[in-house]
Amino acid sequence: FVTKPVPRSFEGGVDFSLGDRNFGRAAASLGSGGDWGGWLVEAVLRRGNGSREGSFHRIRDVSLKTELDLNPANSLRLK
C-alpha cells in the first residue's frame, strides 16, 4: 500500500467519505519541508457495520513520516 510522499513545502488537507452499511471515513494530513527533507502527520478514522450483521468496526490511525536528505544520493526516512 502506497502512502503520500513527504511534502517539500507547507501543505495540509482533509477528506471525508460515506458509504453503505453505515461506513464513514475522515482523514486529515499536515506536513512541511524544504531542501533538507520534510515531515508529514496523517490521522484517519474509519467506521462501519462491516460485511456481516453485528460486525461493527472502528479504526483510529495516526502516523508520522519524516525524511532527511543527507546528500543528493542518500536520504533517511522514518515512519
Side-chain angles (χ1 to χ4, degrees), residues 16-32:
F16 298 99
S17 56
L18 298 172
D20 54 350
R21 299 199 47 82
N22 201 26
F23 175 79
R25 177 181 178 273
S29 65
L30 183 67
S32 185

Side-chain angles (χ1 to χ4, degrees), residues 2-79:
V2 179
T3 60
K4 291 174 65 169
V6 173
R8 297 303 175 161
S9 62
F10 183 78
E11 68 178 52
V14 293
D15 180 50
F16 298 99
S17 56
L18 298 172
D20 54 350
R21 299 199 47 82
N22 201 26
F23 175 79
R25 177 181 178 273
S29 65
L30 183 67
S32 185
D35 294 336
W36 55 270
W39 57 273
L40 176 66
V41 176
E42 294 180 294
V44 178
L45 170 64
R46 288 183 218 106
R47 65 178 192 101
N49 288 339
S51 59
R52 289 181 243 128
E53 292 297 323
S55 63
F56 181 80
H57 69 275
R58 177 174 289 151
I59 300 168
R60 294 181 182 114
D61 185 35
V62 177
S63 66
L64 170 66
K65 185 190 301 187
T66 61
E67 183 174 320
L68 179 61
D69 293 335
L70 303 173
N71 58 47
N74 298 295
S75 63
L76 176 64
R77 294 181 185 145
L78 300 172
K79 181 174 180 183

